[in-house]
Amino acid sequence: MITEPRLLLTVGEPSGIGPDICLQLASHALPTGVLLIGDLHCLRRRALTLGLSLRLEPWQEGDPWPVPENSVLHVLDVPLAQPCRPGHLDVANAPAVLATLDKAMHLLRAGAADALVTAPVHKGIINDAGIPFTGHTEYLADACDRPEVVMLLAGRGLRVALATTHLPLSKVAAAITREGLERTLRILHRALREDFALLRPRILVAGLNPHAGEGGHLGHEEQDIIAPVIAVLRGEGLRVSGPWPADTLFTPRLLEDADAVLTMYHDQGLPVLKYHAFGEAVNITLGLPIVRTSVDHGTALDVAGTGRAEGGSLLRALDVAAEIVRNRRAVAR
């Protein structure tokens, strides 16, 4: 019986660096079994382009789970509609990209795997193919019938979660409600306890407006929504504080007393996190019944097939996925 976490890895957009960084795994001593899901022919061609010496073995449902082996990767083949070229998007291949996620979800639901790690996809080409798509987070939330999920990025000791994700800035304020913010904080608190083994996590909450609203002179969301939610949770014993002005929230004095920061929108928190740990950070979806992690970067079409792609974030995403699986198992015992 395999006791180590069984990790699925979707290759992502085939014309981007997803295949490159996935193939790089063959040169690392992986601590647990990893199964790639993508086009086997595309991966073999990319390995030749990059001059990589490795063996790609086809895997089918029902086969024994792959075990780590030097210079060997196992692949569940999901064929593309058209041959892929590094750096050149093709709308015809967009359905196959999503099919890798669907295949992964099938294996997870069947209990054949323990966690999903995703290489980056290209949202634009999927939408150009006529498929509404805002991102992995939302797609997997819908697949799991969990409309309330939370995006968390973590790297070099900093964890940043988002109250809203892929929204135009003009729609952010209306999307922040007492009910939604409370659900987000509860999901974050639970994940810090169960997925990261932090018994009494400390969460800092950012304000929405400059200077956290300046006492109502620069906006009322802090007074009307954010502060009341924090008060409710603190009354239950949760270690939540704020709303803090976002321009001073990410300072060492405050962060040394925090396990995570909740920011109100995508570009309020992620620029800081990526400046701090880009290339080593991990994207984690909280609130799902499955474990899902991803890289902290995009498809990097200009780098695909050149040998310049760096796979540090993917390696870290695999490590974090395995860690969360182990922590959840410990909670369940």
Side-chain angles (χ1 to χ4, degrees), residues 7-331:
L7 306 184
L8 302 172
L9 172 56
T10 52
V11 173
E13 169 53 51
S15 64
I17 62 170
D20 304 43
I21 59 177
C22 289
L23 290 168
Q24 289 175 13
L25 297 176
S27 64
H28 293 272
L30 300 177
T32 189
V34 178
L35 173 66
L36 275 60
I37 305 180
D39 185 289
L40 181 58
H41 182 64
C42 169
L43 288 166
R44 283 176 171 160
R45 288 189 61 184
R46 189 67 58 86
L48 288 173
T49 298
L50 296 171
L52 298 177
S53 178
L54 71 157
R55 192 169 83 246
L56 292 168
E57 293 286 350
W59 185 94
Q60 296 181 357
E61 193 170 355
D63 287 350
W65 191 261
V67 295
E69 187 177 352
N70 289 338
S71 301
V72 178
L73 295 172
H74 292 78
V75 183
L76 174 58
D77 186 29
V78 178
L80 297 169
Q82 296 292 332
C84 72
R85 291 188 298 155
H88 297 271
L89 296 168
D90 191 332
V91 294
N93 288 329
V97 172
L98 295 184
T100 65
L101 296 175
D102 296 338
K103 178 59 72 171
M105 287 302 305
H106 165 73
L107 293 173
L108 289 162
R109 290 190 184 101
D114 299 307
L116 170 62
V117 180
T118 59
V121 297
H122 193 285
K123 301 180 186 68
I125 199 64
I126 295 173
N127 282 282
D128 288 345
I131 306 170
F133 182 83
T134 55
H136 274 117
T137 301
E138 296 83 358
Y139 189 85
L140 294 172
D142 183 64
C144 295
D145 195 25
R146 292 286 180 92
E148 302 295 336
V149 297
V150 176
M151 180 186 290
L152 172 76
L153 267 79
R156 293 185 184 174
L158 178 62
R159 301 183 186 91
V160 177
L162 306 178
T164 62
T165 52
H166 299 118
L167 282 180
L169 191 57
S170 61
K171 297 183 179 180
V172 168
I176 297 172
T177 64
R178 287 195 188 190
E179 296 79 9
L181 186 60
E182 182 176 334
R183 283 194 298 267
T184 294
L185 280 165
R186 292 190 186 279
I187 291 170
L188 175 57
H189 180 265
R190 179 175 180 179
L192 292 171
R193 284 174 52 86
E194 297 183 358
D195 294 349
F196 295 94
L198 298 168
L199 295 182
R200 298 192 64 218
R202 302 158 298 177
I203 302 171
L204 305 183
V205 182
L208 172 66
N209 299 293
H211 301 174
E214 196 74 78
H217 295 288
L218 290 176
H220 293 274
E221 287 82 5
E222 287 78 12
Q223 293 174 315
D224 296 343
I225 299 171
I226 303 173
V229 169
I230 291 172
V232 168
L233 297 178
R234 287 178 65 88
E236 298 178 11
L238 275 65
R239 301 172 73 184
V240 182
S241 66
W244 296 96
D247 64 341
T248 55
L249 174 55
F250 292 98
T251 55
R253 179 180 64 84
L254 291 176
L255 290 179
E256 68 184 5
D257 291 324
D259 295 303
V261 174
L262 178 68
T263 58
M264 293 298 109
Y265 57 94
H266 188 280
D267 282 10
Q268 186 184 53
L270 296 196
V272 180
L273 184 285
K274 292 189 177 184
Y275 177 78
H276 176 70
F278 189 69
E280 300 176 25
V282 180
N283 184 349
I284 307 150
T285 306
L286 311 181
L288 293 174
I290 65 167
V291 175
R292 182 260 171 164
T293 66
S294 189
V295 294
D296 66 353
H297 56 76
T299 53
L301 297 172
D302 59 322
V303 178
T306 67
R308 300 200 308 269
E310 297 183 1
S313 180
L314 179 59
L315 286 167
R316 184 65 185 137
L318 292 167
D319 287 341
V320 171
E323 175 190 354
I324 293 174
V325 170
R326 296 186 186 103
N327 285 340
R328 288 192 182 184
R329 287 175 176 174
V331 170

